Amino acid sequence: MQRDNSYYPRTRSRRLRKNSKIRKLISENRLEVSDLIWPIFICEGDNVREPISSMEGVYRLSIDNLLKDAQYAHSLGISCVALFPSINANLKTMDCKEAINPDNLINTATKVLKNKCPELLIMLDVALDPFNASGHDGLFDGNRILNDETVDMLAQQAIIQARSGADILGPSDMMDGSVGKIRDTLENEGFFETLIMAYSAKYASSLYAPFRDALKAKSKLVGDKKTYQMDLSNSDEAMRNTYRDLNEGADMVMVKPGAPYLDICYRIKTTFGVPTFSYQVSGEYSMIMGAIKNGWLDEDTAIFESLMCFKRAGCDGILTYFAPKAAVLLSK
Ligand code: PBG
């Protein structure tokens, strides 16, 4: 075979792969523990650590155990946790009034954790689904999800969460106008420093199923969320939503789910140049963890690869249930 001497062997790509020192020297992206946000499920009770069957290794924690695990995460260098409440069925109603109870599970957990570990950032979801008898993120009249009525309630929920000590609010409701209304309300109430990470590109995905198990919201869901979450065949629409949320006062934006939507992450980051996050959601976690548990994938390398791809796509940070495991492997 004739060699094409115009490039080979003068250009041997393998020279740059010769050993780990050289590979590291030229590596284009780094995954660091400071990139990670850890989502945690909380529940009522004392000393509860209840396994979630569809999420191997993830638990519903009572507040006392939340304190232990959050402090452990902090000691590993994780700087932010995102809390999600799994509340008792009798508190889930059609008017979702538990969402605006200042002493509900999530607000209590936030106050207690902030008091115990003030340096740890706390992110809270702004949405009604944990409190909704219909399982939806907005108020449901039996027929439609009511946009403007929901937005009014989300603004109240957000203020109460900010008062409880939340550093970052994540409106995940996908109602129109929620980011602007929440921002205005925060400003009016003097919460000038509360950050908003808008779920600007949140798709109606099959990959949220284990999360809905974790919140005990799966069997409750009436219909689907397609009238408010995005159609997964769209990409331009994600740009429009992101543009809108930034104009309405979002500090950071998020794409969700994660790895199957890296094209969206890349487009948002290159178009807007704003802090861009991705949520490696419950279904992605369960797929990877399921394969690890079966011995089909190697734990450390599979987790690392599943997270590094977000950095390559331009994300600044990642919400991931692997956060503590990833923090440990990154310190090795
Ligand atoms: C709901 C919410 C969902 C997730 C985060 N916030 C589920 C949904 O929209 O039905 C999913 C996260 C995950 O799957 O890990 N507001």
Side-chain angles (χ1 to χ4, degrees), residues 161-221:
Q161 291 174 333
R163 244 180 237 135
S164 303
D167 302 279
I168 306 174
L169 298 179
S172 71
D173 49 280
M174 292 300 281
M175 297 297 122
D176 289 317
S178 62
V179 172
K181 178 85 186 201
I182 291 168
R183 176 57 78 208
D184 290 349
T185 314
L186 288 170
E187 287 289 317
N188 288 336
E189 300 278 330
F191 290 98
F192 309 124
E193 294 184 342
T194 304
L195 293 155
I196 297 180
M197 184 188 295
Y199 284 61
S200 296
K202 177 171 177 181
Y203 288 86
S205 170
S206 61
L207 296 169
Y208 308 147
F211 174 96
R212 292 177 194 163
D213 269 346
L215 260 54
K216 299 187 174 148
K218 196 172 171 190
S219 55
K220 298 228 165 234
L221 185 63

Short mmCIF file of all heavy atoms in Angstrom, two decimals, residues 161-221:
data_model
loop_
_atom_site.label_atom_id
_atom_site.label_comp_id
_atom_site.label_asym_id
_atom_site.label_seq_id
_atom_site.Cartn_x
_atom_site.Cartn_y
_atom_site.Cartn_z
N GLN A 161 -39.99 29.66 49.38
CA GLN A 161 -38.75 28.87 49.30
C GLN A 161 -37.52 29.77 49.51
O GLN A 161 -36.56 29.37 50.17
CB GLN A 161 -38.66 28.17 47.93
CG GLN A 161 -39.71 27.06 47.78
CD GLN A 161 -39.72 26.48 46.39
OE1 GLN A 161 -39.37 27.14 45.41
NE2 GLN A 161 -40.15 25.23 46.27
N ALA A 162 -37.56 30.97 48.93
CA ALA A 162 -36.44 31.90 49.10
C ALA A 162 -36.32 32.29 50.57
O ALA A 162 -35.22 32.33 51.14
CB ALA A 162 -36.63 33.13 48.23
N ARG A 163 -37.46 32.54 51.20
CA ARG A 163 -37.47 32.89 52.64
C ARG A 163 -36.92 31.75 53.48
O ARG A 163 -36.29 31.97 54.52
CB ARG A 163 -38.92 33.16 53.06
CG ARG A 163 -39.14 34.56 53.50
CD ARG A 163 -40.58 34.80 53.92
NE ARG A 163 -41.12 35.88 53.13
CZ ARG A 163 -42.31 35.90 52.55
NH1 ARG A 163 -43.15 34.87 52.70
NH2 ARG A 163 -42.68 36.92 51.84
N SER A 164 -37.15 30.52 53.06
CA SER A 164 -36.66 29.35 53.81
C SER A 164 -35.15 29.19 53.69
O SER A 164 -34.55 28.43 54.44
CB SER A 164 -37.33 28.07 53.32
OG SER A 164 -38.72 28.18 53.41
N GLY A 165 -34.56 29.86 52.69
CA GLY A 165 -33.10 29.80 52.56
C GLY A 165 -32.60 29.21 51.25
O GLY A 165 -31.40 28.97 51.11
N ALA A 166 -33.50 28.97 50.30
CA ALA A 166 -33.04 28.42 49.01
C ALA A 166 -32.15 29.44 48.32
O ALA A 166 -32.46 30.62 48.26
CB ALA A 166 -34.24 28.08 48.13
N ASP A 167 -31.02 28.97 47.79
CA ASP A 167 -30.10 29.85 47.05
C ASP A 167 -30.47 29.93 45.58
O ASP A 167 -30.27 30.95 44.93
CB ASP A 167 -28.67 29.30 47.16
CG ASP A 167 -28.22 29.18 48.59
OD1 ASP A 167 -27.81 30.21 49.15
OD2 ASP A 167 -28.31 28.07 49.17
N ILE A 168 -30.93 28.79 45.05
CA ILE A 168 -31.25 28.70 43.62
C ILE A 168 -32.67 28.16 43.48
O ILE A 168 -33.01 27.14 44.10
CB ILE A 168 -30.29 27.74 42.88
CG1 ILE A 168 -28.82 28.13 43.12
CG2 ILE A 168 -30.60 27.68 41.39
CD1 ILE A 168 -27.81 27.15 42.54
N LEU A 169 -33.48 28.83 42.67
CA LEU A 169 -34.81 28.32 42.39
C LEU A 169 -34.82 27.77 40.96
O LEU A 169 -34.31 28.41 40.04
CB LEU A 169 -35.86 29.43 42.54
CG LEU A 169 -35.97 30.03 43.95
CD1 LEU A 169 -37.01 31.14 43.97
CD2 LEU A 169 -36.31 28.95 44.98
N GLY A 170 -35.41 26.61 40.82
CA GLY A 170 -35.47 25.97 39.50
C GLY A 170 -36.91 25.81 39.05
O GLY A 170 -37.52 24.78 39.36
N PRO A 171 -37.45 26.81 38.34
CA PRO A 171 -38.82 26.64 37.85
C PRO A 171 -38.82 25.53 36.79
O PRO A 171 -38.24 25.69 35.73
CB PRO A 171 -39.17 28.01 37.23
CG PRO A 171 -38.11 28.94 37.71
CD PRO A 171 -36.89 28.11 37.97
N SER A 172 -39.47 24.40 37.12
CA SER A 172 -39.45 23.24 36.22
C SER A 172 -40.85 22.98 35.68
O SER A 172 -41.12 21.95 35.11
CB SER A 172 -38.96 22.01 36.98
OG SER A 172 -39.95 21.59 37.90
N ASP A 173 -41.73 23.98 35.89
CA ASP A 173 -43.16 23.80 35.62
C ASP A 173 -43.51 23.85 34.15
O ASP A 173 -44.51 23.31 33.72
CB ASP A 173 -43.90 24.90 36.35
CG ASP A 173 -43.27 26.26 36.04
OD1 ASP A 173 -42.24 26.60 36.67
OD2 ASP A 173 -43.77 26.97 35.13
N MET A 174 -42.71 24.59 33.36
CA MET A 174 -42.95 24.79 31.93
C MET A 174 -44.24 25.55 31.63
O MET A 174 -44.83 25.40 30.55
CB MET A 174 -42.90 23.46 31.17
CG MET A 174 -41.52 22.83 31.11
SD MET A 174 -40.28 23.88 30.31
CE MET A 174 -40.65 23.61 28.59
N MET A 175 -44.66 26.39 32.58
CA MET A 175 -45.78 27.31 32.30
C MET A 175 -45.19 28.54 31.61
O MET A 175 -44.02 28.90 31.84
CB MET A 175 -46.47 27.75 33.60
CG MET A 175 -47.13 26.63 34.38
SD MET A 175 -48.46 25.82 33.48
CE MET A 175 -47.86 24.13 33.48
N ASP A 176 -45.97 29.23 30.81
CA ASP A 176 -45.49 30.45 30.18
C ASP A 176 -45.53 31.61 31.17
O ASP A 176 -46.56 31.81 31.84
CB ASP A 176 -46.36 30.79 28.97
CG ASP A 176 -46.10 29.80 27.84
OD1 ASP A 176 -44.92 29.49 27.60
OD2 ASP A 176 -47.08 29.32 27.24
N GLY A 177 -44.45 32.33 31.26
CA GLY A 177 -44.41 33.52 32.11
C GLY A 177 -43.97 33.27 33.53
O GLY A 177 -43.87 34.21 34.32
N SER A 178 -43.65 32.03 33.88
CA SER A 178 -43.33 31.77 35.30
C SER A 178 -42.00 32.41 35.71
O SER A 178 -41.89 32.96 36.81
CB SER A 178 -43.35 30.28 35.61
OG SER A 178 -42.39 29.58 34.88
N VAL A 179 -41.01 32.37 34.82
CA VAL A 179 -39.71 32.93 35.21
C VAL A 179 -39.85 34.43 35.48
O VAL A 179 -39.38 34.94 36.51
CB VAL A 179 -38.64 32.65 34.13
CG1 VAL A 179 -37.34 33.40 34.42
CG2 VAL A 179 -38.36 31.15 34.04
N GLY A 180 -40.52 35.14 34.59
CA GLY A 180 -40.69 36.59 34.77
C GLY A 180 -41.46 36.92 36.03
O GLY A 180 -41.09 37.83 36.80
N LYS A 181 -42.52 36.18 36.28
CA LYS A 181 -43.34 36.45 37.46
C LYS A 181 -42.56 36.15 38.75
O LYS A 181 -42.62 36.91 39.73
CB LYS A 181 -44.61 35.57 37.39
CG LYS A 181 -45.54 35.71 38.54
CD LYS A 181 -46.48 36.86 38.37
CE LYS A 181 -47.32 37.05 39.62
NZ LYS A 181 -48.53 37.79 39.40
N ILE A 182 -41.81 35.07 38.72
CA ILE A 182 -41.01 34.73 39.91
C ILE A 182 -39.93 35.80 40.13
O ILE A 182 -39.72 36.27 41.25
CB ILE A 182 -40.38 33.32 39.76
CG1 ILE A 182 -41.47 32.24 39.82
CG2 ILE A 182 -39.32 33.07 40.83
CD1 ILE A 182 -41.02 30.85 39.40
N ARG A 183 -39.27 36.21 39.05
CA ARG A 183 -38.23 37.24 39.18
C ARG A 183 -38.81 38.54 39.73
O ARG A 183 -38.26 39.13 40.68
CB ARG A 183 -37.53 37.48 37.83
CG ARG A 183 -36.52 38.58 37.83
CD ARG A 183 -35.41 38.39 38.88
NE ARG A 183 -34.41 37.43 38.48
CZ ARG A 183 -33.69 36.69 39.34
NH1 ARG A 183 -33.88 36.79 40.65
NH2 ARG A 183 -32.78 35.84 38.90
N ASP A 184 -39.95 38.99 39.19
CA ASP A 184 -40.56 40.24 39.67
C ASP A 184 -40.93 40.12 41.15
O ASP A 184 -40.72 41.05 41.93
CB ASP A 184 -41.84 40.56 38.87
CG ASP A 184 -41.50 40.97 37.44
OD1 ASP A 184 -40.31 41.21 37.15
OD2 ASP A 184 -42.44 41.05 36.61
N THR A 185 -41.49 39.00 41.51
CA THR A 185 -41.91 38.82 42.90
C THR A 185 -40.70 38.80 43.83
O THR A 185 -40.72 39.42 44.90
CB THR A 185 -42.74 37.52 43.04
OG1 THR A 185 -43.70 37.49 41.98
CG2 THR A 185 -43.47 37.47 44.37
N LEU A 186 -39.63 38.13 43.41
CA LEU A 186 -38.41 38.12 44.23
C LEU A 186 -37.88 39.54 44.41
O LEU A 186 -37.51 39.95 45.52
CB LEU A 186 -37.33 37.25 43.57
CG LEU A 186 -37.53 35.73 43.60
CD1 LEU A 186 -36.50 35.04 42.69
CD2 LEU A 186 -37.44 35.16 45.02
N GLU A 187 -37.85 40.31 43.33
CA GLU A 187 -37.35 41.70 43.41
C GLU A 187 -38.23 42.52 44.35
O GLU A 187 -37.73 43.26 45.20
CB GLU A 187 -37.32 42.34 42.02
CG GLU A 187 -36.22 41.81 41.12
CD GLU A 187 -34.82 42.26 41.53
OE1 GLU A 187 -34.63 43.44 41.88
OE2 GLU A 187 -33.91 41.42 41.51
N ASN A 188 -39.54 42.39 44.19
CA ASN A 188 -40.47 43.16 45.03
C ASN A 188 -40.33 42.84 46.51
O ASN A 188 -40.55 43.68 47.37
CB ASN A 188 -41.93 42.91 44.62
CG ASN A 188 -42.23 43.56 43.29
OD1 ASN A 188 -41.56 44.52 42.90
ND2 ASN A 188 -43.24 43.05 42.59
N GLU A 189 -39.96 41.59 46.79
CA GLU A 189 -39.85 41.16 48.18
C GLU A 189 -38.42 41.32 48.72
O GLU A 189 -38.14 40.90 49.83
CB GLU A 189 -40.27 39.69 48.32
CG GLU A 189 -41.70 39.42 47.90
CD GLU A 189 -42.72 39.75 48.99
OE1 GLU A 189 -42.37 39.65 50.18
OE2 GLU A 189 -43.85 40.13 48.63
N GLY A 190 -37.53 41.86 47.91
CA GLY A 190 -36.17 42.12 48.39
C GLY A 190 -35.20 40.97 48.25
O GLY A 190 -34.09 41.03 48.78
N PHE A 191 -35.60 39.94 47.55
CA PHE A 191 -34.67 38.81 47.34
C PHE A 191 -33.87 39.05 46.06
O PHE A 191 -34.05 38.39 45.04
CB PHE A 191 -35.43 37.48 47.28
CG PHE A 191 -36.00 37.08 48.61
CD1 PHE A 191 -37.33 37.33 48.93
CD2 PHE A 191 -35.18 36.47 49.55
CE1 PHE A 191 -37.83 36.98 50.15
CE2 PHE A 191 -35.70 36.12 50.80
CZ PHE A 191 -37.02 36.38 51.11
N PHE A 192 -32.95 40.03 46.13
CA PHE A 192 -32.22 40.44 44.93
C PHE A 192 -31.17 39.42 44.51
O PHE A 192 -30.70 39.44 43.39
CB PHE A 192 -31.52 41.79 45.17
CG PHE A 192 -32.44 42.84 45.73
CD1 PHE A 192 -32.15 43.49 46.92
CD2 PHE A 192 -33.61 43.17 45.06
CE1 PHE A 192 -33.00 44.46 47.44
CE2 PHE A 192 -34.47 44.13 45.56
CZ PHE A 192 -34.17 44.78 46.76
N GLU A 193 -30.76 38.58 45.46
CA GLU A 193 -29.64 37.68 45.18
C GLU A 193 -30.06 36.24 44.90
O GLU A 193 -29.22 35.39 44.67
CB GLU A 193 -28.65 37.72 46.33
CG GLU A 193 -27.99 39.09 46.43
CD GLU A 193 -26.94 39.18 47.50
OE1 GLU A 193 -26.91 38.32 48.40
OE2 GLU A 193 -26.14 40.13 47.42
N THR A 194 -31.35 35.98 44.97
CA THR A 194 -31.78 34.60 44.72
C THR A 194 -31.62 34.27 43.24
O THR A 194 -32.08 35.03 42.38
CB THR A 194 -33.25 34.42 45.15
OG1 THR A 194 -33.37 34.80 46.52
CG2 THR A 194 -33.70 32.97 44.98
N LEU A 195 -30.93 33.18 42.98
CA LEU A 195 -30.66 32.80 41.58
C LEU A 195 -31.83 32.01 41.00
O LEU A 195 -32.50 31.26 41.72
CB LEU A 195 -29.40 31.93 41.53
CG LEU A 195 -28.10 32.65 41.88
CD1 LEU A 195 -27.06 31.67 42.41
CD2 LEU A 195 -27.57 33.39 40.67
N ILE A 196 -32.03 32.17 39.70
CA ILE A 196 -33.02 31.34 39.01
C ILE A 196 -32.30 30.52 37.94
O ILE A 196 -31.63 31.06 37.07
CB ILE A 196 -34.12 32.19 38.34
CG1 ILE A 196 -34.93 32.97 39.40
CG2 ILE A 196 -35.06 31.31 37.51
CD1 ILE A 196 -36.05 33.84 38.83
N MET A 197 -32.44 29.20 38.07
CA MET A 197 -31.97 28.30 37.01
C MET A 197 -33.22 27.79 36.30
O MET A 197 -33.94 26.94 36.82
CB MET A 197 -31.18 27.12 37.58
CG MET A 197 -30.60 26.24 36.47
SD MET A 197 -29.84 24.71 37.05
CE MET A 197 -28.46 25.30 37.99
N ALA A 198 -33.49 28.39 35.14
CA ALA A 198 -34.74 28.05 34.45
C ALA A 198 -34.59 26.72 33.71
O ALA A 198 -33.57 26.48 33.08
CB ALA A 198 -35.09 29.15 33.45
N TYR A 199 -35.62 25.89 33.85
CA TYR A 199 -35.66 24.67 33.04
C TYR A 199 -36.16 25.12 31.66
O TYR A 199 -37.32 24.94 31.31
CB TYR A 199 -36.64 23.67 33.62
CG TYR A 199 -36.23 22.90 34.86
CD1 TYR A 199 -35.93 23.52 36.07
CD2 TYR A 199 -36.21 21.49 34.84
CE1 TYR A 199 -35.60 22.78 37.20
CE2 TYR A 199 -35.88 20.75 35.96
CZ TYR A 199 -35.58 21.40 37.14
OH TYR A 199 -35.27 20.66 38.25
N SER A 200 -35.25 25.72 30.88
CA SER A 200 -35.69 26.36 29.63
C SER A 200 -35.99 25.36 28.53
O SER A 200 -36.83 25.61 27.67
CB SER A 200 -34.61 27.32 29.14
OG SER A 200 -34.46 28.35 30.09
N ALA A 201 -35.28 24.26 28.53
CA ALA A 201 -35.54 23.23 27.51
C ALA A 201 -35.83 21.92 28.24
O ALA A 201 -34.97 21.07 28.41
CB ALA A 201 -34.35 23.08 26.59
N LYS A 202 -37.09 21.82 28.69
CA LYS A 202 -37.49 20.61 29.39
C LYS A 202 -38.46 19.85 28.49
O LYS A 202 -39.53 20.34 28.16
CB LYS A 202 -38.14 20.95 30.73
CG LYS A 202 -38.64 19.71 31.46
CD LYS A 202 -39.09 20.01 32.87
CE LYS A 202 -39.64 18.76 33.53
NZ LYS A 202 -40.10 19.00 34.88
N TYR A 203 -38.04 18.67 28.12
CA TYR A 203 -38.80 17.87 27.15
C TYR A 203 -39.75 16.91 27.85
O TYR A 203 -39.49 16.45 28.97
CB TYR A 203 -37.83 17.09 26.27
CG TYR A 203 -37.09 18.00 25.30
CD1 TYR A 203 -35.91 18.64 25.68
CD2 TYR A 203 -37.59 18.24 24.04
CE1 TYR A 203 -35.25 19.49 24.80
CE2 TYR A 203 -36.93 19.09 23.15
CZ TYR A 203 -35.76 19.71 23.54
OH TYR A 203 -35.11 20.56 22.68
N ALA A 204 -40.86 16.59 27.17
CA ALA A 204 -41.82 15.60 27.68
C ALA A 204 -41.19 14.23 27.44
O ALA A 204 -41.35 13.63 26.39
CB ALA A 204 -43.14 15.74 26.94
N SER A 205 -40.46 13.75 28.44
CA SER A 205 -39.60 12.57 28.25
C SER A 205 -40.10 11.35 29.01
O SER A 205 -40.68 11.48 30.10
CB SER A 205 -38.19 12.94 28.75
OG SER A 205 -37.37 11.81 28.81
N SER A 206 -39.79 10.19 28.45
CA SER A 206 -40.09 8.93 29.15
C SER A 206 -39.12 8.72 30.31
O SER A 206 -39.34 7.86 31.17
CB SER A 206 -39.93 7.76 28.18
OG SER A 206 -38.59 7.71 27.70
N LEU A 207 -38.03 9.48 30.33
CA LEU A 207 -36.94 9.21 31.27
C LEU A 207 -37.17 9.77 32.67
O LEU A 207 -36.31 9.67 33.52
CB LEU A 207 -35.63 9.77 30.69
CG LEU A 207 -35.17 9.10 29.39
CD1 LEU A 207 -34.04 9.89 28.74
CD2 LEU A 207 -34.72 7.66 29.65
N TYR A 208 -38.35 10.37 32.90
CA TYR A 208 -38.65 10.87 34.26
C TYR A 208 -39.37 9.82 35.10
O TYR A 208 -39.70 10.08 36.26
CB TYR A 208 -39.53 12.12 34.21
CG TYR A 208 -39.04 13.24 33.32
CD1 TYR A 208 -39.94 14.07 32.65
CD2 TYR A 208 -37.68 13.50 33.16
CE1 TYR A 208 -39.51 15.10 31.83
CE2 TYR A 208 -37.24 14.53 32.34
CZ TYR A 208 -38.16 15.32 31.68
OH TYR A 208 -37.72 16.34 30.88
N ALA A 209 -39.65 8.66 34.53
CA ALA A 209 -40.50 7.69 35.24
C ALA A 209 -39.97 7.31 36.62
O ALA A 209 -40.74 7.32 37.60
CB ALA A 209 -40.69 6.46 34.36
N PRO A 210 -38.67 7.01 36.79
CA PRO A 210 -38.23 6.64 38.14
C PRO A 210 -38.36 7.80 39.14
O PRO A 210 -38.66 7.59 40.31
CB PRO A 210 -36.75 6.26 37.93
CG PRO A 210 -36.65 5.90 36.48
CD PRO A 210 -37.61 6.82 35.79
N PHE A 211 -38.17 9.04 38.66
CA PHE A 211 -38.36 10.22 39.53
C PHE A 211 -39.81 10.26 40.02
O PHE A 211 -40.06 10.54 41.21
CB PHE A 211 -38.04 11.48 38.72
CG PHE A 211 -38.31 12.79 39.42
CD1 PHE A 211 -37.31 13.47 40.08
CD2 PHE A 211 -39.59 13.37 39.39
CE1 PHE A 211 -37.55 14.70 40.70
CE2 PHE A 211 -39.84 14.60 40.01
CZ PHE A 211 -38.81 15.25 40.66
N ARG A 212 -40.74 10.00 39.14
CA ARG A 212 -42.15 10.04 39.56
C ARG A 212 -42.45 8.92 40.55
O ARG A 212 -43.27 9.09 41.44
CB ARG A 212 -43.07 9.98 38.33
CG ARG A 212 -42.95 11.26 37.50
CD ARG A 212 -43.80 11.24 36.23
NE ARG A 212 -43.40 12.32 35.34
CZ ARG A 212 -43.70 12.39 34.04
NH1 ARG A 212 -44.43 11.43 33.50
NH2 ARG A 212 -43.30 13.42 33.31
N ASP A 213 -41.74 7.78 40.43
CA ASP A 213 -41.81 6.73 41.45
C ASP A 213 -41.32 7.27 42.79
O ASP A 213 -41.93 7.06 43.83
CB ASP A 213 -40.82 5.59 41.11
CG ASP A 213 -41.45 4.51 40.29
OD1 ASP A 213 -42.68 4.49 40.19
OD2 ASP A 213 -40.68 3.68 39.74
N ALA A 214 -40.19 7.96 42.71
CA ALA A 214 -39.56 8.47 43.94
C ALA A 214 -40.49 9.42 44.67
O ALA A 214 -40.55 9.44 45.90
CB ALA A 214 -38.24 9.16 43.60
N LEU A 215 -41.23 10.22 43.91
CA LEU A 215 -42.18 11.18 44.52
C LEU A 215 -43.55 10.55 44.77
O LEU A 215 -44.46 11.21 45.23
CB LEU A 215 -42.36 12.39 43.59
CG LEU A 215 -41.57 13.64 43.93
CD1 LEU A 215 -40.09 13.37 44.07
CD2 LEU A 215 -41.80 14.72 42.89
N LYS A 216 -43.68 9.29 44.44
CA LYS A 216 -44.96 8.58 44.52
C LYS A 216 -46.03 9.33 43.73
O LYS A 216 -47.16 9.48 44.16
CB LYS A 216 -45.37 8.38 45.98
CG LYS A 216 -44.37 7.56 46.77
CD LYS A 216 -44.88 7.22 48.16
CE LYS A 216 -43.92 6.29 48.86
NZ LYS A 216 -43.85 6.47 50.30
N ALA A 217 -45.60 9.84 42.57
CA ALA A 217 -46.52 10.64 41.75
C ALA A 217 -46.90 9.92 40.46
O ALA A 217 -47.71 10.41 39.70
CB ALA A 217 -45.87 11.99 41.41
N LYS A 218 -46.30 8.74 40.24
CA LYS A 218 -46.46 8.10 38.94
C LYS A 218 -47.89 7.60 38.73
O LYS A 218 -48.53 7.89 37.71
CB LYS A 218 -45.50 6.93 38.85
CG LYS A 218 -45.29 6.43 37.44
CD LYS A 218 -44.17 5.42 37.48
CE LYS A 218 -43.99 4.69 36.19
NZ LYS A 218 -43.06 3.58 36.39
N SER A 219 -48.41 6.88 39.73
CA SER A 219 -49.75 6.32 39.56
C SER A 219 -50.80 7.42 39.54
O SER A 219 -51.91 7.25 39.07
CB SER A 219 -50.04 5.33 40.68
OG SER A 219 -49.85 5.98 41.90
N LYS A 220 -50.41 8.60 40.07
CA LYS A 220 -51.36 9.71 40.18
C LYS A 220 -51.56 10.43 38.86
O LYS A 220 -52.56 11.09 38.65
CB LYS A 220 -50.82 10.76 41.16
CG LYS A 220 -50.64 10.26 42.55
CD LYS A 220 -51.26 11.22 43.53
CE LYS A 220 -51.42 10.59 44.89
NZ LYS A 220 -52.73 10.65 45.42
N LEU A 221 -50.53 10.39 37.99
CA LEU A 221 -50.55 11.29 36.84
C LEU A 221 -51.74 11.00 35.91
O LEU A 221 -51.92 9.90 35.42
CB LEU A 221 -49.23 11.18 36.06
CG LEU A 221 -49.09 12.16 34.91
CD1 LEU A 221 -49.09 13.61 35.42
CD2 LEU A 221 -47.80 11.89 34.13
#
